[in-house]
Amino acid sequence: MRWSDFPKWGKWLADWAAEYHAGLRDRPVRAQTAPGAIAAQLPARPPEEAQPLEDVIADFERIVMPGITHWQHPRFFAYFPSNASPAAVLADQIVTVMAPQCMLWQTSPAATEMETRMMDWLRQAIALPQGFHGVIQDSASSATLAAMLTLRERALDWHGNQQGLSGQPRLRVYASEEVHTSIDRAIWIAGIGQENLVRIPTTGPLRAMDTAALDAAIEADKAAGYLPAGIIACTGGTGTGACDDIAATCDVAEKHGLYTHVDAAWAGAAMICPEFRTLWAGVERADSVVFNPHKWLGTQFDLSAHFIRSPEDLTRTLAIQPEYLKTHGADGIINYSEWSVPLGRRFRALKLWFLLRAYGLAGLRQMIRNHVAWSQALADRLRAHPDFEIVTEPVLSLFTFRYAPPGASDLDDLNQRLVNAINDDGRIYITQTRTRGELVIRFQAGQFDATEDDVKTAYNVITEIAKTL
Ligand SMILES: *Cc1c(COP(=O)(O)O)cnc(C)c1O
């Protein structure tokens, strides 16, 4: 295939994309294939000769499509959303055609300068104060790793990268049980070690860290000769949407001089709506915050927004400047590769620009408000049903529930069977989680094409299939 063939296939793609979206409700949400079924249809050896693109596309439809779980399906209620808005998809296509590698300012000044401006737009959109500087990371996991490395270096007076961790005091980091596993991985990769991730018990309906217990744990660690280094708080934990009390957490952090990172990977998008900002009151006192526009906001994977108060601390931790990466003769520029673990970077800011201009903050707010309202209405209907109970109340558009008909035993097994039967049915897609030892069913609405009817369909499917168990 040559670029001269591109108009033909580009038009094919444009039509295919629109038809795909228009027909999504007719497809099962979760792929219905058995393990190994797709692999069995892929030849074991690569082709020696070029093949016509017609054949490749026919095989794509026949082999690949049945193995896709449709994240853009309006009745995708599992995990968290991963919205791909058409405006952002278009921007990504443009970027992919040019495929610039934007590690340095000079390797595409537009990418760097657009990133600076877009991150400041986002900062204003979620009402973080001036003084926070944004950088686009590939994922919340990468942003949290960058934060973990920064807090490690800061606590070790900037000696960790040079000297390694052996012979250093034992660092400690604090978080609740509700934080995402990316925190565990960050602490492994940063060399601090799982045993030094101190789990603080949670209290209250939002399952916030008990900050008295947090303070006591830090005091005890200091007395035992450890070196407390930082706190990872969450706004909208993955399992049930737990929210730490950020203000109270920052009180403790400031008292002990610790770094605070807030993981709001999913819930951060909702902060474009002023009425939800109480969930992270105090966030302006954190050292860094991450949220994923690639989840709820519609800039398809990957685009993670990482805000930091001290870029100097971040670049002191991550920047490395061999001669071949230096830019001579240009002052006041930013090389964003010094702000992240990977060197290479895509031009991601363009899709944010397209998104924000094509929908406006008002349009995005309306979508998020709808999801929250519809989800809370569903929770109320399930609560009113005699065979269902709400286990954790809605946090934004996420809640958990359980099927508990009178007299039923082994509810964990019953609820897992319900999840499996619902997902085999295919009309909706939901997943389970475990909270305080119980297996519960998770529901979240956040898909851009979802309508109130789609959420009502979820009620019908859940109650109908439960009766058949
Ligand atoms: C989704 C999620 C993550 C991980 O996000 P990635 O961008 O996939 O790394 C981390 N924390 C929370 C709370 C999440 O919901």
Side-chain angles (χ1 to χ4, degrees):
M1 184 182 173
R2 297 169 202 285
W3 279 106
S4 56
D5 300 320
F6 201 80
K8 174 181 168 188
W9 293 110
K11 281 170 199 134
W12 171 84
L13 173 63
D15 291 338
W16 182 89
E19 279 164 31
Y20 171 73
H21 271 267
L24 267 173
R25 279 194 183 79
D26 301 328
R27 296 180 188 261
V29 193
R30 195 206 57 195
Q32 303 287 324
T33 48
I38 309 297
Q41 298 177 74
L42 298 171
R45 292 177 195 290
E48 204 59 50
E49 304 299 332
Q51 300 177 351
L53 208 64
E54 280 82 354
D55 294 0
V56 180
I57 286 180
D59 286 348
F60 160 73
E61 294 272 15
R62 182 176 59 86
I63 300 172
V64 179
M65 281 310 283
I68 296 292
T69 291
H70 301 289
W71 284 71
Q72 305 310 313
H73 197 298
R75 293 196 294 268
F76 182 99
F77 301 123
Y79 311 102
F80 282 135
S82 184
N83 285 311
S85 63
V89 169
L90 198 62
D92 246 0
Q93 296 305 314
I94 297 172
V95 167
T96 304
V97 168
M98 298 183 289
Q101 208 279 44
C102 309
M103 57 187 177
L104 306 173
W105 175 83
Q106 68 167 314
T107 64
S108 275
T112 296
E113 294 179 19
M114 174 75 75
E115 181 160 340
T116 305
R117 181 67 72 205
M118 285 309 102
M119 294 307 284
D120 200 60
W121 280 14
L122 265 193
R123 177 192 65 74
Q124 296 171 52
I126 60 174
L128 284 181
Q130 274 181 357
F132 274 93
H133 302 268
V135 56
I136 299 177
Q137 305 282 5
D138 55 8
S139 60
S141 304
S142 285
T144 295
L145 173 58
M148 192 72 80
L149 294 168
T150 305
L151 70 84
R152 182 193 80 185
E153 287 304 291
R154 210 173 84 167
L156 293 177
D157 205 14
W158 315 100
H159 292 318
N161 281 341
Q162 284 306 317
Q163 299 173 359
L165 296 196
S166 60
Q168 308 282 9
R170 218 162 131 175
L171 297 171
R172 300 289 253 186
V173 176
Y174 307 83
S176 82
E177 287 291 345
E178 300 289 336
V179 297
H180 188 262
T181 50
S182 54
I183 282 80
D184 301 69
R185 278 176 159 175
I187 211 157
W188 302 348
I189 300 167
I192 297 170
Q194 185 84 56
E195 286 175 9
N196 297 308
L197 178 57
V198 182
R199 299 292 188 169
I200 306 300
T202 59
T203 64
L206 285 172
R207 303 191 173 187
M209 261 191 290
D210 175 344
T211 47
L214 172 65
D215 187 47
I218 295 168
E219 294 285 5
D221 278 353
K222 281 180 164 173
Y226 295 124
L227 181 58
I231 303 171
I232 314 290
C234 69
T235 301
T238 313
T240 65
C243 292
D244 288 319
D245 179 339
I246 306 296
T249 302
C250 287
D251 286 341
V252 178
E254 285 162 17
K255 173 178 167 198
H256 296 283
L258 304 193
Y259 186 106
T260 311
H261 174 68
V262 177
D263 178 6
W266 160 67
M271 301 311 166
I272 64 171
C273 306
E275 69 271 30
F276 300 136
R277 291 180 194 149
T278 50
L279 286 176
W280 72 358
V283 68
E284 67 282 354
R285 294 162 60 195
D287 290 286
S288 54
V289 181
V290 63
F291 95 91
N292 281 345
H294 68 229
K295 277 183 169 153
W296 207 349
L297 223 46
T299 53
Q300 66 284 350
F301 202 77
D302 46 4
L303 197 162
S304 187
H306 181 196
F307 294 97
I308 41 260
R309 266 203 309 192
S310 172
E312 298 74 29
D313 285 357
L314 181 63
T315 54
R316 197 167 176 189
T317 303
L318 294 178
I320 183 160
Q321 295 174 325
E323 184 57 35
Y324 58 81
L325 291 180
K326 285 188 180 151
T327 301
H328 296 288
D331 290 331
I333 56 161
I334 298 176
N335 292 323
Y336 278 120
S337 55
E338 297 176 355
W339 297 43
S340 51
V341 176
L343 173 67
R345 28 186 24 248
R346 304 177 57 231
F347 182 5
R348 298 192 186 88
L350 194 73
K351 59 187 171 186
L352 203 46
W353 194 46
F354 273 49
L355 175 102
L356 292 171
R357 295 183 66 185
Y359 306 98
L361 286 174
L364 296 167
R365 278 189 205 107
Q366 190 56 55
M367 278 195 266
I368 285 176
R369 286 179 175 138
N370 284 344
H371 297 148
V372 171
W374 298 337
S375 190
Q376 296 189 351
L378 175 66
D380 288 341
R381 285 183 79 192
L382 285 172
R383 192 196 321 275
H385 191 297
D387 294 346
F388 286 87
E389 61 192 30
I390 301 301
V391 179
T392 57
E393 290 296 327
V395 174
L396 301 169
S397 62
L398 168 68
F399 67 93
T400 63
F401 66 97
R402 226 151 121 90
Y403 178 46
S409 59
D410 199 351
L411 289 180
D412 282 8
D413 175 66
L414 183 66
N415 279 272
Q416 187 60 62
R417 283 193 291 125
L418 178 56
V419 169
N420 294 349
I422 287 171
N423 294 336
D424 288 345
D425 170 85
R427 280 174 290 170
I428 68 169
Y429 184 25
I430 50 177
T431 46
Q432 75 286 335
T433 189
R434 199 166 271 287
T435 176
R436 306 220 160 127
E438 288 182 341
L439 188 127
V440 300
I441 304 180
R442 246 175 123 265
F443 180 94
Q444 70 75 31
Q447 220 296 316
F448 271 11
D449 291 336
T451 62
E452 190 167 13
D453 256 1
D454 288 313
V455 180
K456 286 181 175 163
T457 301
Y459 177 85
N460 298 340
V461 171
I462 292 165
T463 51
E464 174 197 314
I465 293 181
K467 258 187 283 171
T468 67
L469 291 183

